[in-house]
Amino acid sequence: MVSGKHKSRSMRRVFRRTPGGKTVMAFKKRKPSKAKCAGCGKVLPGVPRERPHKMQNMPKTAKRPQRPYGGVLCSSCTRKKIIEKARK
Amino acid sequence: MIEVGRLCVKIAGRDAGLKCVVVEVLDKNFVMIDGQTRRRKCNILHLEPLGQVVKIKAKATHSDVVSEFKKLNLEVKETKPRKAAERPKKARKKKEEKTEELAKKVSKAEKKKEKPAAKKEEKLESEIPNSRKKK
């Protein structure tokens, strides 16, 4: 039976197989929302959706694209911004 | 608009936002660029041409481009190419050892050759009396 604090759906339910062969329900915190472009609101590809402790252990290069505004703006918005700067 | 010596800004990839110069026009879509960016082939669509044109020869070397950039007060960061990590090499055996081994092998081979010959002779001897018996 689920204990009281786990009855709400604020935690996600994950099925885990124990070494003994049983399938057990584990409760985990939900993942944060997907990273979005600050310009157009598109979902940013190349930015992982993980909890902070996992993000901490990841290398910097795995966390965002290797370009100016990487992880903040999408590629098309970055292009627009750079072209705007160049034409001024 | 795109010609040798044209100053551009790269707008895509990890060199985005950096200034470069067209060093060579490869075909209608691609050019060779150099400057603040790495020296590399680049699609024209990934470049934003600027008003200035630098006087350089086609296929100019990196040092030529850097000197032209200095005249324009544009800094070029020099990066050292990474040295590839050395692979563990297999230590070769010394020549002397090899010769010894060879000598051993040769002597073994000679022994092998001698043995079967001796056996054959024995066989022949054993067969001959039998053949006589049959007769």
Side-chain angles (χ1 to χ4, degrees), chain B residues 2-124:
Chain B
I2 298 288
E3 66 213 307
V4 173
R6 171 67 67 183
L7 203 68
C8 299
V9 178
K10 191 129 194 303
I11 53 174
R14 69 155 148 146
D15 292 335
L18 299 177
K19 284 178 182 174
C20 60
V21 141
V22 176
V23 177
E24 191 186 346
V25 179
L26 301 172
D27 56 49
K28 65 172 187 176
N29 288 328
F30 289 98
V31 292
M32 195 66 138
I33 58 166
D34 199 355
Q36 288 178 329
T37 63
R38 294 164 289 163
R39 189 184 180 94
R40 60 175 297 169
K41 188 176 142 187
C42 177
N43 196 320
I44 291 171
L45 297 175
H46 299 161
L47 291 174
E48 176 64 20
L50 300 175
Q52 281 175 311
V53 178
V54 180
K55 280 184 183 176
I56 52 166
K57 287 176 189 174
K59 298 181 186 177
T61 58
H62 180 68
S63 53
D64 291 341
V65 175
V66 171
S67 61
E68 285 297 325
F69 265 56
K70 273 183 185 173
K71 285 177 194 171
L72 297 170
N73 289 329
L74 293 172
E75 272 186 36
V76 178
K77 274 186 185 176
E78 290 296 331
T79 51
K80 285 178 189 173
R82 255 191 206 175
K83 277 184 184 177
E86 279 187 22
R87 286 182 186 177
K89 279 183 182 176
K90 281 184 182 175
R92 280 189 175 182
K93 287 169 189 172
K94 285 175 187 175
K95 276 187 178 178
E96 291 175 3
E97 287 178 4
K98 261 194 174 178
T99 51
E100 283 176 9
E101 280 180 8
L102 270 175
K104 277 183 187 176
K105 274 184 186 175
V106 169
S107 62
K108 272 186 183 176
E110 281 175 0
K111 277 180 186 175
K112 274 185 183 175
K113 274 181 187 176
E114 284 173 11
K115 274 183 184 176
K119 276 182 185 176
K120 270 182 187 176
E121 283 173 9
E122 285 174 10
K123 270 185 185 177
L124 277 172

Side-chain angles (χ1 to χ4, degrees), chain A residues 9-21:
Chain A
R9 284 282 177 166
S10 63
M11 306 273 265
R12 70 194 174 96
R13 292 163 188 211
V14 185
F15 291 100
R16 282 284 158 85
R17 181 147 293 184
T18 58

